[in-house]
């Protein structure tokens, strides 16, 4: 983590169902805390200015770019990173769909994509193609593997809808 001058704060929050109590610079980015303090390196940082979605995590049920969330904003929050998506029983249906459909190429954007799809399917288990494209518009795949990603979202949607019925 970049050394910063200034005040620190005691950050208490829940990350992947684990209570975290650490002292960090108040202006530290959540992405840096997750990756460097907690060693949850599945969350990637690419642009660092909230445009690419590689650092996306779920905070209090909302998709956020963790590079834009400061430590003080994360206090008392419930955060889920890509490491918290799979369960002891195996991969989340979204993760499995990305594997089945080749929803990744280099894989750098994949964690952020999966977090975005998780929020999308929680809010709308049966999205149209237009809704999928719209909701993933904040996540960039520099390899341009969007066809596989869209197929993966459709498959994950089918799995989610089947499990609801």
């Amino acid at each position: 983590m970049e050394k910063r001058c200034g005040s620190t704060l005691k950050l208490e929050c829940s990350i992947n169902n684990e209570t975290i109590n650490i002292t960090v610079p108040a202006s530290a980015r959540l992405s840096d805390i997750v990756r460097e303090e907690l060693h949850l390196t599945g969350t990637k940082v690419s642009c660092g200015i909230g445009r690419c979605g590689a650092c996306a995590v779920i905070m209090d049920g909302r998709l956020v770019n963790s590079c834009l969330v400061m430590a003080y904003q994360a206090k008392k929050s419930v955060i889920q990173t890509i490491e918290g998506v799979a369960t002891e029983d195996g991969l989340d249906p979204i993760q499995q769909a990305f594997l089945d459909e080749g929803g990744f190429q280099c894989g750098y954007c994949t964690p952020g994509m999966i977090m975005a799809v998780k929020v999308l399917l929680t809010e709308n288990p049966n999205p149209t193609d237009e809704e999928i494209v719209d909701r993933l518009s904040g996540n960039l795949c520099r390899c341009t593997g969007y066809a596989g990603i869209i197929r993966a979202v459709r498959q994950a949607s089918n799995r989610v809808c089947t499990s609801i019925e």
Side-chain angles (χ1 to χ4, degrees):
M1 179 179 302
E2 180 181 321
K3 186 161 179 83
R4 297 173 190 227
C5 297
S7 65
T8 60
L9 67 82
K10 186 168 179 87
L11 175 61
E12 180 181 344
C13 61
S14 170
I15 298 184
N16 299 333
N17 296 318
E18 184 176 326
T19 300
I20 305 296
N21 285 298
I22 57 174
T23 300
V24 296
S27 61
R29 300 182 312 175
L30 179 59
S31 57
D32 293 335
I33 295 167
V34 167
R35 289 183 53 82
E36 297 171 22
E37 295 290 328
L38 304 176
H39 307 289
L40 299 172
T41 57
T43 299
K44 306 300 183 200
V45 176
S46 183
C47 71
I49 56 173
R51 290 191 178 166
C52 72
C55 65
V57 300
I58 299 172
M59 187 166 102
D60 297 330
R62 295 184 23 233
L63 187 70
V64 298
N65 290 320
S66 62
C67 70
L68 298 179
V69 177
M70 301 295 111
Y72 69 89
Q73 295 172 306
K75 282 183 86 170
K76 306 284 185 189
S77 293
V78 175
I79 298 164
Q80 184 179 32
T81 70
I82 190 67
E83 289 87 350
V85 172
T87 66
E88 291 179 7
D89 297 331
L91 295 176
D92 184 275
I94 297 167
Q95 293 172 306
Q96 188 61 54
F98 269 72
L99 286 174
D100 293 347
E101 297 293 341
F104 57 91
Q105 289 184 17
C106 80
Y108 203 82
C109 69
T110 306
M113 291 278 185
I114 289 174
M115 302 311 285
V117 173
K118 193 154 185 64
V119 171
L120 167 63
L121 296 182
T122 298
E123 295 173 357
N124 180 3
N126 192 19
T128 64
D129 285 353
E130 185 175 275
E131 290 168 328
I132 293 169
V133 170
D134 181 59
R135 291 298 292 270
L136 294 181
S137 64
N139 296 77
L140 301 179
C141 172
R142 297 187 195 285
C143 303
T144 66
Y146 292 104
I149 292 167
I150 300 299
R151 284 194 312 269
V153 177
R154 286 188 203 122
Q155 184 189 113
S157 171
N158 289 337
R159 289 179 182 195
V160 168
C161 287
T162 302
S163 70
I164 291 173
E165 294 173 352

